[in-house]
Amino acid sequence: MKSYRFKALLQNQGWLENATVSLDEAGKISALSQKENSDSIYIDGYALAGFQNAHSHAFQYAMAGLAERHSGAQEADDFWSWREAMYGLALNINPEQMKTIAAMLYAELLRHGWTNVAEFHYVHHDKNGKPYDNLAAMDEALIEAAKDAGIKITLIPIFYQKGGFGQQPNERQRRFISPTFNDYLKLFEASKQVCRQYEGANIAVGIHSMRGVDCSDILRIATEAPQNVPLHIHISEQLKEVEDALAFLGKRPVEWLLDNIELNERFHLVHATHLTDDETERLAKTQANVVLCPSTEGNLGDGIFPLKNYQSFGGKWSIGTDSHVGLNPLEELRILDYGQRLITHKRNTFTDDKTEDSGLYAITKATVAGRKAMNNFESDFFAVGASFDACIISADAPLLANTKLENLSSSIIYSTDASHIYGTFVAGKLIRKDGKYQQIKENFIDLMKQFR
Ligand SMILES: [Zn+2]
């Protein structure tokens, strides 16, 4: 049995100084107190609950920074032209390459303090669009990558069926497509089997988007696919998508979901950028969650989610890094906050009647809803009996060494960067940038000769 002592550890009510965490063989917390334990290993750091990355497309990490040459001011360069560049990559990778890219991404996510990732996975078939003999070959690559890096993963095999509202899929989407609900269920079952290969893996269901799946099948996924797992869906990210939904369904995407499906805390709506006031209020009241991906949404020119308004109705949200153009959870929270400050001309994004500490508020929201995205309903940051998953911030960082506890959460969120992260604990195991990281990095750099 191991135990660690930290300069302080963040609980939901605030910081616990000189916290000793004892762990059992499985890496679960067996005791948590301020009592000194002579056997414990001291780490001069502040322990936060591990960050939950609720939205990832691992392969897109390989193209971060490669879609930034913009020709001619007249030519439209937007989400849809970026998507063409992304398809170019998606059409060319094999499972082995997927594993190499994902392992690098996951090692980097750990280095930035994330302990869990929800992988929204839709590149299912071979380069010709034919299912692999092992239906879940790509899933297996992702699970092996997560295991190699040491991150916990929630694998979300995605149902992708259409090329747009009422349209057949286009040729460039051939690797993504499950023609029918039953085809998707087969894929889901194969993915579920693969998750059994790694104790840090679990499964969720996913729908690419309202434009990607026929409405009748969206209803079936919501009511007939497994109900005891989270359900993730991209929604209302782009104005064109809202316009197309209005033209085809006579309703906006979120409006259609609200009118047709009994949303609850099992649902994770990714982006939900474009909402009317009515949709915002109704969505918040369902207890469904929104997954915000601030650096990607900014990079793609999506728009700004009405967070202040959503929170005023009790709306739940988490964060993700989506295309991985940014990987730092602290930065994601800052971009999210500053977008709101810029449009409201106020500074109090992350507060409510009960909390005046922005840092603590942001960490709480992102952690609690982020865990639900992984099918984890534990709301205490560190609970006896729960797996010890933590992000450790070095306590000797210049701005943190003498910060009063009441200012510590916000000092971490607003003033630190990835260089201040000491390491990450996943299931009680300390992960730092070590030899394994170097091996993953060498493999990745070698592969990137072909792609970058
Ligand atoms: Zn996405």
Side-chain angles (χ1 to χ4, degrees), residues 43 69 89 95 97 224 254 257 261 264 294:
I43 293 179
R69 298 180 71 90
L89 174 67
Q97 293 165 333
E224 295 175 38
V254 171
L257 275 194
I261 292 173
N264 56 42

Side-chain angles (χ1 to χ4, degrees), residues 87-150:
Y87 282 1
L89 174 67
L91 287 171
N92 281 303
I93 55 172
N94 64 34
E96 191 57 34
Q97 293 165 333
M98 174 70 100
K99 183 184 161 188
T100 303
I101 296 168
M104 185 75 258
L105 169 72
Y106 296 156
E108 280 288 272
L109 292 182
L110 285 161
R111 187 173 71 79
H112 284 86
W114 309 94
T115 55
N116 296 64
V117 62
E119 182 62 40
F120 196 100
H121 164 51
Y122 57 82
V123 186
H124 300 303
H125 310 315
D126 73 12
K127 291 178 190 179
N128 301 314
K130 195 171 146 286
Y132 287 104
D133 290 342
N134 167 10
L135 261 188
M138 282 292 200
D139 305 68
E140 208 161 76
L142 290 161
I143 295 297
E144 282 173 12
K147 194 174 176 180
D148 250 23

Side-chain angles (χ1 to χ4, degrees), residues 55-57 60 79 82 120 122 208 233-234 237 270-271 293 296 300 321-323:
H55 192 63
S56 160
H57 308 284
Q60 292 178 15
F79 172 88
W82 171 87
F120 196 100
Y122 57 82
H208 181 271
I233 179 172
H234 284 138
E237 178 179 8
V270 183
H271 308 303
C293 308
T296 292
L300 295 177
T321 55
D322 196 358
S323 72

Side-chain angles (χ1 to χ4, degrees), residues 37 39 100 107 163 184-185 213 291 301 308 348 351 367 383 429:
N37 172 345
D39 298 334
T100 303
Y184 174 72
L185 284 191
V213 177
V291 184
K308 282 278 279 185
N348 59 337
T351 51
T367 302
K429 188 167 163 276

